[in-house]
């Protein structure tokens, strides 16, 4: 029997573009809500103007992850009058590599047989046995794809080398559960960058904060606003004129990070931030250190801060910190300010 990984899969769908340039949602199993289907059609590159083919995109909407693989139909094929198609997988977990590999197998099946029935058989095989085996279409084994590998797949070293000491702004924003918006016109660059950021707060291992591909659409923005803190990616430059959506704005092509006016007080930097920033930069510059080791270096420093915070809380009534507790420590004002907001983010603050 298949393990818990298969219970994370929710659905498989199919979008086609025909010779008349019409794009249609043609099939899904078992089902997808009308609202989610609209979102998925918007994310699928076949509905976009222009002829740019995004072979693989992923994102999250309303706590459902989606993974879309798009291919151009090549001869020989059983598909007639179809020029392109997209396989859409939805799931409860973040694991781009796993679902990209699975959808490639499903793409080959559909190209060869021209019927969703074969795809459904492959999907059910993975759902029930955790494996989809096929000589001509390749095999897929769900247990080859560990969640931890997905968390470590991006490059934290690239992020730190691009932003240097300013990387501390990203670290602070994530530690304080702030709203981080990232802009890049190219979706592939956006996905590659944003997926790494939750690793800065490795102690939480929480990738549910990641919304790497958001459109300036009311339904999507409404869903985003329900999250307390997030990392959200946009390809539309208009996002820079929406300060209501971010505390920290990252312009990726220009390597610029801006802190919004309303977040400046909570994000005040001091010696503690400088020390963490230096640690990040020195660790990332070290040629022999892997991305995993850099994440560990940052995580060790984070644990040290959290241990100090927890020990402060233990001295207090109800194990909750008050501003008075912090003031008695006579800490530098920026450190006191950071620890106060961090205690709130970690639910250690007395309200």
């Amino acid at each position: 029997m298949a393990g818990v990984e298969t219970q994370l899969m929710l659905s498989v769908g199919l979008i086609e573009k025909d010779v008349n340039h019409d794009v249609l949602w043609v099939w899904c199993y078992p089902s997808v809500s009308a609202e989610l289907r609209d979102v998925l059609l918007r994310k699928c590159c076949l509905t976009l103007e222009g002829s740019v083919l995004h072979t693989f995109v992923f994102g999250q909407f309303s706590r459902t992850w989606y993974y879309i693989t798009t291919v151009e139909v090549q001869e020989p094929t059983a598909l007639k009058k179809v020029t392109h198609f997209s396989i859409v997988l939805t799931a409860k977990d973040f694991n781009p590599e796993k679902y990209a590999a699975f959808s490639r197998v499903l793409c080959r099946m559909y190209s060869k047989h021209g019927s969703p029935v074969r795809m459904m058989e492959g999907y059910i095989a993975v759902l029930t046995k955790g494996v989809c085996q096929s000589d001509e279409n390749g095999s897929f084994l769900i247990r080859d794809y560990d969640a931890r590998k997905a968390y470590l797949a991006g490059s934290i070293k690239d992020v730190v080398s691009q932003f240097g000491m300013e990387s501390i702004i990203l670290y602070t924003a994530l530690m304080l559960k702030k709203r981080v918006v990232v802009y890049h016109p190219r979706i592939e660059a956006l996905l590659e960058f944003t997926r790494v950021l939750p690793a800065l707060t490795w102690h939480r291992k929480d990738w549910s904060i990641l919304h790497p591909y958001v459109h300036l659409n009311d339904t999507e923005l409404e869903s985003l606003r329900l999250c307390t803190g997030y990392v959200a990616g946009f390809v539309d430059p208009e996002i820079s004129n929406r300060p209501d959506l971010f505390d920290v704005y990252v312009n990726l092509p220009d390597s610029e990070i801006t802190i919004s006016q309303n977040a400046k007080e909570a994000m005040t930097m001091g010696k503690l931030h400088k020390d963490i920033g230096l640690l990040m930069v020195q660790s990332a510059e070290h040629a022999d250190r892997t991305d995993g080791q850099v994440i560990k270096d940052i995580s060790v420093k984070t644990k040290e801060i959290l241990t100090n915070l927890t020990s402060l809380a233990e001295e207090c009534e109800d194990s909750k910190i008050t501003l008075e507790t912090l003031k008695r420590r006579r800490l530098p004002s920026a450190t006191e300010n950071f620890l106060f907001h961090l205690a709130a983010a970690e639910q250690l603050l007395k309200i």
Side-chain angles (χ1 to χ4, degrees), residues 37-54:
R37 193 172 61 211
D38 286 348
V39 171
L40 297 171
L41 279 163
R42 195 159 44 247
K43 303 302 169 193
C44 175
C45 63
L46 300 180
T47 60
L48 303 175
E49 285 176 24
S51 54
V52 178
L53 194 71
H54 303 296

Side-chain angles (χ1 to χ4, degrees), residues 89-102:
L89 289 165
T90 67
K92 294 178 197 168
D93 62 326
F94 169 77
N95 201 321
E97 288 68 32
K98 173 168 78 173
Y99 294 107
F102 184 29

Side-chain angles (χ1 to χ4, degrees), residues 99 123 146 161 200 283 300:
Y99 294 107
Y123 182 81
D146 176 55
S161 74
L200 289 169
S283 179
V300 166

Side-chain angles (χ1 to χ4, degrees), residues 32 60 96 109 117 127 171 224 239 249 257 270 272 274 282 293 295 298 300 310 319 324-325:
V32 167
Q60 185 190 185
M109 283 180 171
V117 175
L127 209 54
Y171 171 85
L224 191 65
I239 184 61
Y249 176 71
I257 301 180
L272 176 65
K274 189 181 175 184
Q282 285 165 0
Q293 286 168 323
I295 289 167
I298 299 165
V300 166
T310 311
S319 292
E324 286 68 40
T325 317

Side-chain angles (χ1 to χ4, degrees), residues 231-267:
V231 172
F234 292 81
V235 292
D236 186 345
E238 183 55 33
I239 184 61
S240 66
N241 300 319
R242 294 296 304 269
D244 57 307
L245 294 172
F246 58 80
D247 300 308
V248 171
Y249 176 71
V250 183
N251 181 322
L252 209 47
D254 295 345
S255 300
E256 285 177 2
I257 301 180
T258 311
I259 301 171
S260 74
Q261 205 55 45
N262 63 339
K264 279 191 170 157
E265 185 266 328
M267 299 277 296

